[in-house]
């Protein structure tokens, strides 16, 4: 009898909630937090931050499943790339922007979907569950635009092999390249200080960059960065 009761309890254990991290301005953040809390126990609020930069350290600590990113900025792709480097959470964009190109860039950079602010709270909750399950939350028109852009980028990389190499760089590596390209003669110690990292970390990053771009030293990297307009980290 004891075994029977134990077996039954194991079968009725509730699934673990989906951990949600919210990145949004204070007013929007308050509303999204309440929405997530209203969906307990399916969802659980793991934390929140007003900006992407302020969320980076926290994401590594709380390890959410899904990040809700309130996005109105033009730097959509960079925001998504930064979040991807900070952790493995799936990113869902929430936006009131009519800039379809900006939203498409966010998806091309790795966001799993887009929910518009005019959509219902129920739709947002459904989108969270779907992308947590591994699906994309993108309407058909956006999907068509994104496929066309992917085809264009593929053709562009085929015509210029360097673009394919550049596409493998992380945001941190691009910032390192920009710092190196700002002055080919500045000591590594100064570059590390500007990037707020150790010289050891800088050497590791440069080793990775050299391998990805097929280069051998800082002078080669400087020339490559100037030739391919990599002096701007964004």
């Amino acid at each position: 009898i004891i075994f029977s009761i134990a077996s039954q309890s194991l079968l009725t254990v509730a699934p673990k909630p989906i951990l949600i991290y919210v990145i949004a301005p204070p007013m929007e953040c308050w509303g999204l937090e309440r929405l997530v809390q209203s969906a307990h126990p399916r969802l659980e609020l793991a934390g929140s931050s007003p900006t992407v930069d302020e969320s980076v350290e926290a994401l590594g600590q709380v390890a959410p499943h899904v990040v809700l990113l309130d996005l109105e900025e033009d730097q959509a792709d960079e925001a998504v790339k930064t979040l991807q480097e900070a952790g493995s959470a799936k990113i869902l964009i929430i936006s009131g922007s009519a800039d379809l190109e900006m939203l498409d860039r966010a998806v091309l950079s790795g966001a799993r979907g887009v929910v518009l602010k005019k959509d219902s709270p129920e739709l947002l909750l459904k989108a969270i569950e779907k992308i947590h399950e591994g699906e994309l939350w993108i309407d058909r028109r956006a999907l068509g635009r994104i496929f066309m852009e992917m085809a264009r980028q593929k053709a562009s990389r085929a015509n210029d092999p360097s673009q394919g190499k550049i596409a493998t760089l992380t945001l941190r590596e691009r910032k390192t390249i920009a710092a190196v390209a700002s002055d080919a003669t500045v000591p590594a110690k100064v570059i590390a200080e500007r990037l707020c990292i150790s010289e050891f970390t800088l050497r590791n990053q440069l080793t990775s960059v050299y391998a990805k771009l097929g280069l051998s030293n800082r002078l080669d990297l400087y020339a490559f960065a100037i030739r391919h307009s990599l002096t701007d980290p964004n």
Side-chain angles (χ1 to χ4, degrees):
I1 295 173
I2 294 174
F3 176 77
S4 177
I5 293 174
S7 299
Q8 184 176 7
S9 66
L10 287 173
L11 292 174
T12 57
V13 171
K16 292 183 179 180
I18 304 171
L19 297 180
I20 308 296
Y21 196 93
V22 177
I23 303 175
M27 187 70 73
E28 288 84 351
C29 188
W30 184 88
L32 290 170
E33 287 175 341
R34 298 304 177 275
L35 178 62
V36 170
Q37 290 166 344
S38 74
H40 186 80
R42 286 183 299 156
L43 309 183
E44 183 176 313
L45 184 65
S48 63
S49 298
T51 67
V52 170
D53 289 341
E54 292 179 60
S55 72
V56 170
E57 184 175 354
L59 288 175
Q61 296 173 350
V62 301
H65 300 119
V66 176
V67 171
L68 301 183
L69 174 60
D70 185 300
L71 189 64
E72 305 293 344
E73 302 175 1
D74 186 45
Q75 300 297 329
D77 45 351
E78 296 303 335
V80 172
K81 289 177 182 177
T82 298
L83 292 176
Q84 288 184 315
E85 291 178 11
S88 59
K90 298 178 175 70
I91 302 166
L92 178 60
I93 303 296
I94 302 171
S95 181
S97 175
D99 187 347
L100 299 180
E101 183 180 349
M102 182 267 287
L103 297 175
D104 290 349
R105 286 203 310 272
V107 175
L108 283 165
S109 297
R112 296 301 184 94
V114 176
V115 174
L116 300 178
K117 290 184 177 179
K118 65 181 181 180
D119 293 331
S120 67
E122 291 76 16
L123 191 69
L124 174 56
L125 294 175
K126 184 177 180 181
I128 291 171
E129 293 184 336
K130 289 298 183 182
I131 70 165
H132 177 61
E133 293 168 1
E135 297 184 22
L136 293 175
W137 191 265
I138 309 168
D139 67 42
R140 291 181 179 180
R141 287 177 296 179
L143 195 59
R145 294 194 306 270
I146 289 167
F147 279 150
M148 290 294 291
E149 178 61 19
M150 290 173 66
R152 187 195 67 78
Q153 290 182 6
K154 184 177 181 180
S156 177
R157 287 194 294 270
N159 293 330
D160 183 0
S162 294
Q163 293 304 316
K165 297 177 182 178
I166 292 171
T168 66
L169 296 170
T170 66
L171 180 59
R172 287 192 179 92
E173 288 169 344
R174 291 179 69 99
K175 288 182 177 180
T176 299
I177 293 171
V180 170
S182 66
D183 188 345
T185 62
V186 70
K189 181 179 180 180
V190 174
I191 294 176
E193 289 175 351
R194 289 175 180 174
L195 295 170
C196 299
I197 59 177
S198 68
E199 288 187 70
F200 177 78
T201 300
L202 176 62
R203 285 196 297 271
N204 285 342
Q205 289 185 3
L206 287 175
T207 298
S208 175
V209 167
Y210 295 155
K212 288 181 177 181
L213 300 182
L215 306 174
S216 57
N217 54 52
R218 279 183 56 189
L219 186 59
D220 287 346
L221 179 58
Y222 176 81
F224 186 94
I226 298 300
R227 186 164 64 251
H228 294 282
S229 302
L230 297 177
T231 55
D232 183 352
N234 296 319

